Amino acid sequence: MTRRAVRVRRIYDHPAAEDGIRVLVDRVWPRGIRKEAAAIDEWAKDVAPSTELRKWYGHVPDRFAQFEAHYRDELATRTARTALDHLRTLAERDTVTLLTATRDVDHSQAAVLARLLQEPR
C-alpha cells in the first residue's frame, strides 16, 4: 500500500482539518494541555525515546545525528517495533500527524519517526 502524508506538528498548535489521525509521540504528557482538550486520537508512548536518551540529548541540535542513531536502535526493540508498525498501518490508511511538545520539531523524535514512516517496510 502507498503511504499517505506524515506530518509533524507541536501539540500546542491548533488542530487543522488536514491533520488526519493525530498521534502524540512524547513519553511525558505535555505541560499546560488538558487531556480533554488535546484533540489527539492516540498517545503512542511506546514509540517515544527512553528517558535516558531524551535527557542525554537535551534537544541540543549538535547531538541530533547521534540522538537519531541511538533512537533508531531503541526503535528496534520489540515493544517499540510493535508501536512503530501500528503507526505505519495508520499511515497507510490516512494522513498521520505526529505531535510533540518540543519547540524544535525538525530536531525531534517526531521528525525521526516521520522519516521512518515514509521509508518502505
Side-chain angles (χ1 to χ4, degrees):
M1 282 193 109
T2 59
R3 300 209 193 297
R4 305 274 182 136
V6 178
R7 303 176 56 180
V8 177
R9 299 186 67 208
R10 293 191 74 217
I11 192 161
Y12 302 105
D13 297 338
H14 291 289
E18 62 273 8
D19 282 351
I21 301 168
R22 294 171 48 91
V23 181
L24 177 63
V25 294
D26 290 350
R27 186 169 302 276
V28 179
W29 189 261
R31 290 182 181 159
I33 298 285
R34 290 189 343 262
K35 289 185 180 179
E36 312 80 51
I40 65 169
D41 296 298
E42 294 189 25
W43 182 10
K45 289 186 242 183
D46 289 338
V47 81
S50 66
T51 301
E52 296 80 18
L53 180 57
R54 184 175 47 84
K55 286 183 178 182
W56 169 83
Y57 174 46
H59 297 286
V60 176
D62 290 342
R63 294 183 184 167
F64 185 69
Q66 285 181 285
F67 166 77
E68 182 171 2
H70 291 298
Y71 181 40
R72 284 177 178 254
D73 288 343
E74 286 188 355
L75 290 170
T77 65
R78 186 167 38 128
T79 302
R81 193 172 54 240
T82 300
L84 184 59
D85 286 344
H86 174 68
L87 290 178
R88 282 188 175 116
T89 300
L90 293 177
E92 289 169 351
R93 291 189 209 147
D94 199 350
T95 298
V96 172
T97 299
L98 304 175
L99 301 169
T100 182
T102 306
R103 286 188 183 139
D104 184 359
V105 295
D106 293 333
H107 294 101
S108 70
Q109 77 275 8
V112 174
L113 288 171
R115 282 194 295 279
L116 280 170
L117 292 175
Q118 293 298 315
E119 294 173 0
R121 282 191 195 226

